[in-house]
Amino acid sequence: MLIKGYDLGPLVAGEWLLERAGFWAGHLLAGCRFTPGEARPVPEWFGDDGADTDALSEVLLDDQAWPAIRLPCEGGHSAVVVHRNLIGDHGIDYLLTRPDRSRPEELSSFDGDWSGPGLSWRDLVHIAGTPDPSAPGVHDIAARLLLLLPVLADDALPPEAPARVHAALTAVGAPGESARQTAGHLLRNRRPATGGHACADSPLSGGACRRTEADPDEPPVRSALTLTPDRSDEPAAALGGGPSPGGVRPGRTARRLPVGG
């Protein structure tokens, strides 16, 4: 089984897709968002063209073979990007797998709207920069950063963030003359860490955020998916993060993952 405990559909290893023309536009173009008065985002920003992007979308949305892209990390953990191609319920699940668990934990999920806590910039950079070369999956640091960039949920980015994203884009083939603008679009349109959408600290750091839509006197709560306080610090230790106070907004997608573990 490609992902232990994730049996919703026919998963196939999808790492080879990163070498296909049109992949990066298909993965990141929606995150650029068109802003009136600015240039309209196009696949060419990523070194692709519309025909390649459309052709690859047929592979990414294949309901008979769901691409799963693995990012192996230190300690036997992996982040996994799964194209969940249920008929009538297409989406992308960003998961964390752990060798001591019988099912994955959800970092985020997208099916027209986002759910799940997301990643802080610190965690995103840490995961990208700590591949396990002995495990199957994506090991290139630039590609790992861009694969997880859609789940970035952090309101306070460090000054070097645009340069890091710019460098990653050029490393995967984005034209140098537009990569800086593309990086700016992607970071400006990232998910907020407040407003009930996501958290500045991810499960990888044992942290989370308050539910801003709740009563301010209400104590923080942990995700109904798998993140209890004692369990959320374990992947943090394995991945080099540290625990943070607070609680995780409950995810609405626990229904998607089989019960167990």
Side-chain angles (χ1 to χ4, degrees):
M1 185 177 293
L2 198 63
I3 302 177
K4 182 173 64 175
Y6 188 101
D7 56 1
L8 297 182
L11 299 181
V12 296
E15 292 83 15
W16 64 278
L17 292 169
L18 275 66
E19 303 302 321
R20 286 278 302 271
F23 175 82
W24 290 111
H27 186 67
L28 294 171
L29 187 62
C32 291
R33 298 183 190 172
F34 173 63
T35 302
E38 296 185 356
R40 185 176 296 276
V42 293
E44 284 75 12
W45 285 10
F46 300 91
D48 299 321
D49 63 35
D52 288 334
T53 304
D54 289 343
L56 192 64
S57 70
E58 297 181 7
V59 180
L60 294 175
L61 297 175
D62 186 353
D63 60 14
Q64 301 300 309
W66 300 6
I69 302 170
R70 295 161 291 179
L71 289 70
C73 304
E74 298 171 342
H77 299 70
S78 288
V80 190
V81 182
V82 176
H83 289 263
R84 172 178 29 82
N85 295 329
L86 289 167
I87 297 175
D89 186 22
H90 294 284
I92 302 180
D93 294 332
Y94 295 82
L95 309 173
L96 172 67
T97 66
R98 301 167 54 186
D100 59 340
R101 300 298 176 194
S102 62
R103 64 176 175 131
E105 298 176 8
E106 185 179 86
L107 298 176
S108 281
S109 184
F110 181 78
D111 50 10
D113 196 7
W114 285 104
S115 64
L119 290 173
S120 69
W121 174 259
R122 177 190 64 183
D123 284 339
L124 190 153
V125 169
H126 184 80
I127 297 170
T130 56
D132 179 358
S134 68
V138 178
H139 305 116
D140 179 74
I141 293 174
R144 289 163 66 94
L145 187 147
L146 294 177
L147 283 167
L148 293 175
L149 191 61
V151 297
L152 174 64
D154 197 330
D155 288 342
L157 297 182
E160 66 271 16
R164 287 290 299 266
V165 176
H166 173 216
L169 288 167
T170 57
V172 301
E177 62 271 18
S178 63
R180 195 173 306 278
Q181 171 181 288
T182 305
H185 272 267
L186 291 167
L187 291 176
R188 285 197 305 275
N189 291 299
R190 68 190 183 275
R191 297 168 57 190
T194 57
H197 285 285
C199 305
D201 291 304
S202 81
L204 300 173
S205 293
C209 63
R210 284 184 177 272
R211 299 166 58 196
T212 56
E213 73 273 24
D215 187 301
D217 295 326
E218 180 184 0
V221 295
R222 294 272 174 177
S223 168
L225 181 62
T226 52
L227 298 178
T228 57
D230 58 328
R231 292 174 63 179
S232 62
D233 286 348
E234 296 172 23
L239 290 168
S244 302
V248 174
R249 177 178 178 261
R252 59 178 173 81
T253 54
R255 60 180 177 84
R256 293 187 180 134
L257 300 181
V259 176

